[in-house]
Amino acid sequence: MRAYKTTFVILLSTFIIGCNTLAKRNNSGVVVARRAQIRSSTAVVAADLLEVNRGDAIEILDSTDVQDPSDNSKKERWLRVRAHDDENTEGWIEARNVMPNDVLEASRKIAEEYKGVPAQATGQLRAGSNLRLTPDRSGNENIMMRLDSGSSFDIIEWKRVPKPKSSEAIESDIAPKAGSAQQGNAGAGKVNEEQNAPEETNELWYKVRLPPVISPAPAGWIYGKQVELSVPSDIIFYRTGREFVAWQRLDGELNDREGSPKDKDAAREAKPGSWVILEKSSSNQPHTLDEPDFDRIYVLGYDKRNQEHYTAYRSPDVRGFLPLRVETQGDTRDFTIRIQDENGQFREVKYGLFKDARGILKVTAPSVPTRDRRHR
C-alpha cells in the first residue's frame, strides 16, 4: 500500500509539472520589435520565413536557450511561435522581440489605474532604455521591452527609490547625455566635475504612458537618467533659475489625448497660450526619498491683443506633490495640487482662475503653508 501511494504521488507530481510546462509553452504574446523575422531554426544560417511587426499577436509554442555566437559566456532565449498569417507560419524568433501576454496585461493594469490622471509632463529618451514593470533595476525579471532612443511619452508620476548597490545592479539603464562625448581636457574636466558631485543614495524613476506606435505595453517605469523632459517651446524661455517639472495648458482643449506626445506638443505650441507650471529649486545636495515634487507654482498668462506672455501668479515656496489637475466646470476653470503642511499632513488645494474686465488672467490663491527657505 505504501509503495502504491508513493507511486501515485510521483505520477501526480509528474502530471502537475507537465501541465505547468505546457501552460508556459502554450502561451500568447505580442511582437515588440519594430520589425523581426520568424526563422526556420535558431541557427545563424536559418531561413527567414515571415516578417512580423510591432503589435502583431503570436502564439508561443516552446522555448530554448542558444549559445550567443559572439560571446560564448552568454546564451540567448529563442521562442518557437505560430504567427496569425494566412499560413499560420511556425518558426523561431528571439525572445527579446516578444512580450508575453501576462506581462502585457500587467502593463495594462498600470495604465488602467492611472487612466484618470492627466499627463504631468512629457519626455523622451536620450538613448535606448528598458521599460520596466516596477522602478527597480537590480534584476531583469521586470523588464518588458527595450525602447528606442528618442521615444516620446507622457509622464504621469515619478518617485525616488534607494539606489541599488553596484554589486547588485546587473543592468544599469544608464545612458550618456546628449553631447557628452568630449575630447581632451574638456572631457577630463567633466569627469572630475561628476566625481566631485555629492554621491546620490537614491535615484529617480518616471512612470510613463506610451502610444501604441512606440510600445504595445501602454504604461511602465523608466530610469530617470535616461529621460530628458520635453518642455514646450511656448514656455521654455521663462525658466528663472528653477527647473520646470510639470506643466499643463490653461486654455484650448484640456482633454486632447490623441496621437503621440510629440504630436500633441507640436499642436499646442503652434498657438501660444496660458500655462500652469510647477517649478523646483536646484540643489547640490543629494536627493532624499521624502522631498517634494515641486516647491513653487508659476502661472503664465497670454495677452492675445499684444501677443505676449505675462506672469499671472507666482506662489511662495511650498512643499507640493503631484498630481496636477486642470478642470473646467461650465465657464469656470481651476487647478488642484497637493500640499504638505508643517505637521506632515497632506491636503488637496484648489486655485481658481478667472479673467478681469481687460481679459487679464487672474488666480484666486487659497492660504497654504509656505516652505521654510532655509530647507531649500
Side-chain angles (χ1 to χ4, degrees), residues 64-70 74-78 94 96:
T64 187
D65 292 329
V66 179
Q67 197 76 46
D68 186 342
S70 62
K74 295 181 179 180
K75 289 187 176 182
E76 295 178 337
R77 174 63 57 89
W78 284 73
E94 289 182 90
R96 60 188 174 89

Side-chain angles (χ1 to χ4, degrees), residues 219-270:
W221 289 90
I222 298 177
Y223 181 43
K225 281 193 174 181
Q226 294 280 46
V227 177
E228 182 174 3
L229 296 185
S230 304
V231 180
S233 61
D234 191 34
I235 60 175
I236 194 170
F237 296 108
Y238 295 97
R239 289 184 293 191
T240 56
R242 303 194 193 199
E243 292 300 317
F244 289 178
V245 297
W247 52 85
Q248 288 187 37
R249 281 200 72 142
L250 296 174
D251 47 19
E253 294 297 325
L254 295 177
N255 298 317
D256 179 16
R257 317 311 294 168
E258 298 298 324
S260 71
K262 187 175 291 186
D263 293 338
K264 290 183 288 183
D265 269 348
R268 293 175 187 147
E269 292 171 24

Side-chain angles (χ1 to χ4, degrees), residues 97-265:
N97 294 324
V98 177
M99 182 184 299
N101 262 7
D102 56 348
V103 176
L104 181 60
E105 287 303 317
S107 174
R108 288 172 176 166
K109 185 177 180 180
I110 295 174
E112 185 63 27
E113 290 174 352
Y114 287 81
K115 185 177 180 180
V117 177
Q120 303 298 292
T122 54
Q124 66 177 18
L125 291 179
R126 297 189 178 104
S129 178
N130 290 325
L131 177 68
R132 295 176 180 264
L133 282 171
T134 56
D136 177 14
R137 60 188 177 96
S138 61
N140 292 337
E141 297 79 8
N142 62 347
I143 295 177
M144 287 187 277
M145 63 177 290
R146 189 79 173 174
L147 295 173
D148 298 332
S149 175
S151 296
S152 299
F153 39 77
D154 283 339
I155 297 172
I156 53 179
E157 183 186 318
W158 54 83
K159 68 184 298 186
R160 295 188 185 275
V161 300
K163 187 177 181 180
K165 297 178 181 179
S166 57
S167 60
E168 296 176 351
I170 60 176
E171 217 292 332
S172 69
D173 286 283
I174 295 176
K177 294 182 179 180
S180 62
Q182 302 179 22
Q183 301 292 330
N185 294 332
K190 180 66 175 178
V191 171
N192 291 335
E193 180 183 336
E194 291 180 352
Q195 289 177 345
N196 294 331
E199 182 179 356
E200 292 279 359
T201 57
N202 303 307
E203 58 188 26
L204 178 66
W205 285 78
Y206 290 104
K207 182 177 285 186
V208 302
R209 189 159 46 213
L210 305 111
V213 68
I214 291 176
S215 166
W221 289 90
I222 298 177
Y223 181 43
K225 281 193 174 181
Q226 294 280 46
V227 177
E228 182 174 3
L229 296 185
S230 304
V231 180
S233 61
D234 191 34
I235 60 175
I236 194 170
F237 296 108
Y238 295 97
R239 289 184 293 191
T240 56
R242 303 194 193 199
E243 292 300 317
F244 289 178
V245 297
W247 52 85
Q248 288 187 37
R249 281 200 72 142
L250 296 174
D251 47 19
E253 294 297 325
L254 295 177
N255 298 317
D256 179 16
R257 317 311 294 168
E258 298 298 324
S260 71
K262 187 175 291 186
D263 293 338
K264 290 183 288 183
D265 269 348

Side-chain angles (χ1 to χ4, degrees), residues 206-354:
Y206 290 104
K207 182 177 285 186
V208 302
R209 189 159 46 213
L210 305 111
V213 68
I214 291 176
S215 166
W221 289 90
I222 298 177
Y223 181 43
K225 281 193 174 181
Q226 294 280 46
V227 177
E228 182 174 3
L229 296 185
S230 304
V231 180
S233 61
D234 191 34
I235 60 175
I236 194 170
F237 296 108
Y238 295 97
R239 289 184 293 191
T240 56
R242 303 194 193 199
E243 292 300 317
F244 289 178
V245 297
W247 52 85
Q248 288 187 37
R249 281 200 72 142
L250 296 174
D251 47 19
E253 294 297 325
L254 295 177
N255 298 317
D256 179 16
R257 317 311 294 168
E258 298 298 324
S260 71
K262 187 175 291 186
D263 293 338
K264 290 183 288 183
D265 269 348
R268 293 175 187 147
E269 292 171 24
K271 186 178 181 181
S274 301
W275 298 77
V276 55
I277 304 163
L278 304 182
E279 302 177 307
K280 189 169 186 179
S281 304
S282 299
S283 173
N284 57 3
Q285 297 301 311
H287 294 282
T288 61
L289 295 178
D290 62 346
E291 67 181 44
D293 295 326
F294 60 94
D295 52 33
R296 192 166 70 180
I297 305 163
Y298 180 26
V299 177
L300 192 65
Y302 183 70
D303 187 339
K304 293 183 179 179
R305 180 168 20 179
N306 296 323
Q307 296 186 358
E308 61 182 9
H309 287 97
Y310 57 90
T311 298
Y313 174 73
R314 185 174 274 132
S315 76
D317 286 5
V318 296
R319 284 184 59 85
F321 293 84
L322 301 177
L324 165 66
R325 298 178 185 272
V326 177
E327 299 175 335
T328 300
Q329 297 179 355
D331 296 331
T332 63
R333 184 164 294 194
D334 53 51
F335 66 88
T336 58
I337 56 169
R338 288 191 305 143
I339 296 293
Q340 186 180 34
D341 62 24
E342 60 275 8
N343 298 319
Q345 300 298 313
F346 292 90
R347 64 187 179 96
E348 192 171 88
V349 179
K350 180 177 293 187
Y351 292 75
L353 301 165
F354 67 95

